Amino acid sequence: MSTAEFEDVMDLDIEGVEASTAHPAGPTEMESRDVSVWFGQRKVLEGVNIAFPKNTVTALIGPSGCGKSTFIRTLNRLHELIPGAALAGSVLYEGKDIYDAAVDPVHIRLQIGMVFQKPNPFPSMTIRGNVLSGLKLSGMKRANHDDIVEETLTAAGLWNEVKDRLGNAAGDLSGGQQQRLVIARALAVQPHVLLMDEPCSALDPASTLKIEETIRELSKEVTIIIVTHNMQQAVRVSDYTAFFLSEEGTPGHVVEQGATTEIFGNPQEQRTLDYVNGRFG
Amino acid sequence: MSTITFDPETLESLQQQKSTRPWRKKPNRFTASVTLAVVIPALIVSALYLTSDIPVPILLVVIYLPLQLIASGIAAWATKGTRGIADSVIIVNAIGASLFSVIVLVSIIGSLIVRGLRAVSPHFLFQNSVYISPSTPLDYGGIGHSLVGTLLIVFIASLISVPIGIATAVYITEVRGRAVPYVRFFVQAMSGVPSVVAGLFILTIVVATGAFNQSAFAGGLAYAILMLPTVARTAEEVLKLVPDDLRTGALALGSTRARTVLRVVIPAARTGIITAIILGVARVIGETAPLLLAAGNNDQTVVNPFGSPISSVPTYIFNNVALPYPDAVARAWGSALVLIILVAILFTLARIIGRGRVGR
């Protein structure tokens, strides 16, 4: 794709955003500006500009390998842990660039939590220990651990299932329960933003539904950014959607973004229309 | 939605079904040829054992194994055709090799019991060898002082080598610094250091310089040199098995790298790390040469790790086994038996500690 064409796409993006003014956005919590990403010499993402309004859910959709997961990992500085990773542009959190030399990535990750595709509870800890592990690992002081455990497990929709066996090993839980436990763990450190990288892809429909309810509930207090391959899920949980695409070996980029209703109901781009209707990807 | 229903007759026959293993059923000629293939070589070898003076090991390896291979090959050919022969060769060799290692272990333990058991008694475990000469009857004296020495030396060696070994493994797998290839190379090279060289090294730089006497501490240093590479390499392997998901998971919670390693990665690898320590202890506990040089010998019980030369089970065995007194030789074998039991106890303890699960 030529630069001209690319700018063309970007223009359409901006129109897309303007079209979404029917859903007035609150103040911006996070924003990516011209984010491009490389692994070694290979450019995998190009010029991603997305703003994430406070206390909303934004879904990142697109075919596999288009850089959604890579992008979400740039938002809490996990990207830099991969050898050979590089980045251009800036990621603003509360107006400040998180890649500024003076910023401690540990501090950023404490405020921008993450839930991964595969549930990863710590096997050496109990259910309760897992919920509180963020506090221990980050050295954060919060009183009333019992209350935190109950609050976060309730928020994650797991409390009733585990309240009588908080001392059991986390590995004894089912996959869906483990994923909700991991969500509770992320909430215990009170993040302002929660990144979710395909949190339901390994789960059965019932667990998926529970997590979606949890996401809707959480979005009253937390800004959520979720990568998903499930179109219905994006429609069900998100306020805004960004469609990523990587065509014929070119780096991934945002084809179209805006209010979820617009992206799915009235997309401006033929490629978006094709994708959301399952015609490719 | 429709439900599947059975008429009463079918239901009854279903309820009377017995569980079977159809794949276990073999035609009679299979059973016959396999039985022949097992019985004939065994009969021939038993006959040879009874009628000739061929030593048992030669009988087993030179005569029984080839005979069994041929017999199984023929049986396999008779039942499955040519493609069965390769199978039978592999199976016979695999079973033979496993039997061989079991036989080796059993005969070691058996010879220890036969020659050493008469020396082992309660006082043998708890008394020392003061006033005991090689000709003293087995009613007196013991290896209590050597057991204390061995435990003390192994403890000191673990105290030094386990933290360094784990730290080395953490550097290689978690820190992933630039020196990783060099560190790995040196650890590998270190595992090739002959034990007598480790002893000489400590003798030269610790004992001969006058820094410390021959002592449990000096012996522990020599053992630590030998333990370190085993602990480091095994710990490296088990840390590598910890899924990266857990590391990123911890980092995403705002954890520092140090806390991630100490609170998530190492606890997740706990059982493996205990195995690493066991292997390290197993590597050194019978080493004699380093202790002859660095720890010396003593008939008295010594508990001060720095003060004076100290006895240990391997050096006790070394000093007694070649003496021309049957009772001294019996003491040496008895000590070897005790040493092997001690290792078994340490291993079992470590396994029990390592198995401890989260929660409950």
Side-chain angles (χ1 to χ4, degrees), chain B residues 16-341:
Chain B
Q16 280 169 356
Q17 268 188 335
K18 287 204 183 81
S19 68
T20 58
R21 297 195 176 87
W23 53 91
R24 290 253 177 109
K25 266 190 234 151
K26 297 277 188 286
N28 286 338
R29 69 188 172 90
F30 270 54
T31 323
S33 41
V34 170
T35 314
L36 283 179
V38 171
V39 172
I40 291 174
L43 277 180
I44 294 175
V45 172
S46 310
L48 277 175
Y49 174 70
L50 293 174
T51 55
S52 71
D53 291 335
I54 307 171
V56 177
I58 292 179
L59 202 59
L60 285 179
V61 174
V62 181
I63 298 174
Y64 177 70
L65 185 63
L67 259 181
Q68 183 64 61
L69 275 174
I70 293 167
S72 305
I74 293 171
W77 179 72
T79 53
K80 295 183 182 170
T82 37
R83 80 196 150 81
I85 295 177
D87 270 2
S88 78
V89 169
I90 290 171
I91 292 171
V92 170
N93 276 316
I95 295 176
S98 346
L99 271 182
F100 182 71
S101 51
V102 171
I103 288 171
V104 168
L105 183 65
V106 168
S107 28
I108 288 176
I109 296 174
S111 61
L112 289 182
I113 292 174
V114 168
R115 300 182 200 203
L117 193 60
R118 74 188 179 94
V120 180
S121 61
H123 68 78
F124 184 71
L125 296 178
F126 298 115
Q127 291 182 1
N128 58 30
S129 288
V130 183
Y131 307 126
I132 303 296
S133 75
S135 55
T136 312
L138 292 173
D139 301 335
Y140 306 98
I143 55 161
H145 62 308
S146 311
L147 279 174
V148 170
T150 283
L151 289 175
L152 194 58
I153 293 167
V154 167
F155 180 68
I156 292 171
S158 308
L159 226 49
I160 299 167
S161 63
V162 169
I164 300 180
I166 293 175
T168 309
V170 164
Y171 180 78
I172 292 173
T173 62
E174 309 300 317
V175 182
R176 296 175 200 175
R178 274 184 205 173
V180 164
Y182 309 102
V183 171
R184 214 190 249 132
F185 174 78
F186 277 110
V187 169
Q188 203 156 0
M190 213 175 152
S191 60
V193 172
S195 61
V196 67
V197 173
L200 265 177
F201 176 67
I202 297 301
L203 184 71
T204 316
I205 67 153
V206 176
V207 180
T209 55
F212 291 98
N213 285 333
Q214 278 189 323
S215 59
F217 179 70
L221 286 179
Y223 266 14
I225 293 175
L226 300 171
M227 262 183 89
L228 180 60
T230 311
V231 175
R233 297 202 60 187
T234 320
E236 180 196 336
E237 291 306 320
V238 299
L239 288 182
K240 269 191 205 155
L241 291 179
V242 175
D244 258 345
D245 291 355
L246 296 182
R247 296 186 180 89
T248 28
L251 291 172
L253 281 170
S255 172
T256 59
R257 292 216 150 186
R259 284 205 178 103
T260 305
V261 171
L262 290 177
R263 301 222 169 143
V264 174
V265 179
I266 289 182
R270 190 173 74 150
T271 320
I273 293 213
I274 288 172
T275 308
I277 299 171
I278 295 176
L279 287 177
V281 170
R283 162 79 182 82
V284 295
I285 200 163
E287 285 292 349
T288 317
L291 297 189
L292 286 174
L293 298 170
N297 192 25
N298 204 329
D299 287 338
Q300 301 190 21
T301 311
V302 179
V303 287
N304 178 356
F306 302 102
S308 48
I310 187 167
S311 177
S312 61
V313 181
T315 52
Y316 182 91
I317 297 171
F318 176 82
N319 287 329
N320 282 276
V321 77
L323 295 176
Y325 301 95
D327 284 350
V329 175
R331 282 197 187 96
W333 284 97
S335 321
L337 181 59
V338 171
L339 186 62
I340 251 189
I341 293 170

Side-chain angles (χ1 to χ4, degrees), chain A residues 2 5 30 45 57 60 62 66 85 129 149 157 176 180 193 208 263 268:
Chain A
S2 75
E5 276 174 312
M30 281 201 90
L45 266 182
V57 181
L60 310 180
C66 67
V149 171
R180 279 177 280 150
V193 180
T208 302
I263 296 291
Q268 305 296 308

Side-chain angles (χ1 to χ4, degrees), chain A residues 221-239:
Chain A
E221 290 162 17
V222 184
T223 306
I224 294 173
I225 302 165
I226 178 171
V227 169
T228 179
H229 276 133
N230 183 331
M231 304 294 163
Q232 287 82 9
Q233 183 170 64
V235 174
R236 283 193 298 259
V237 302
S238 72
D239 304 303

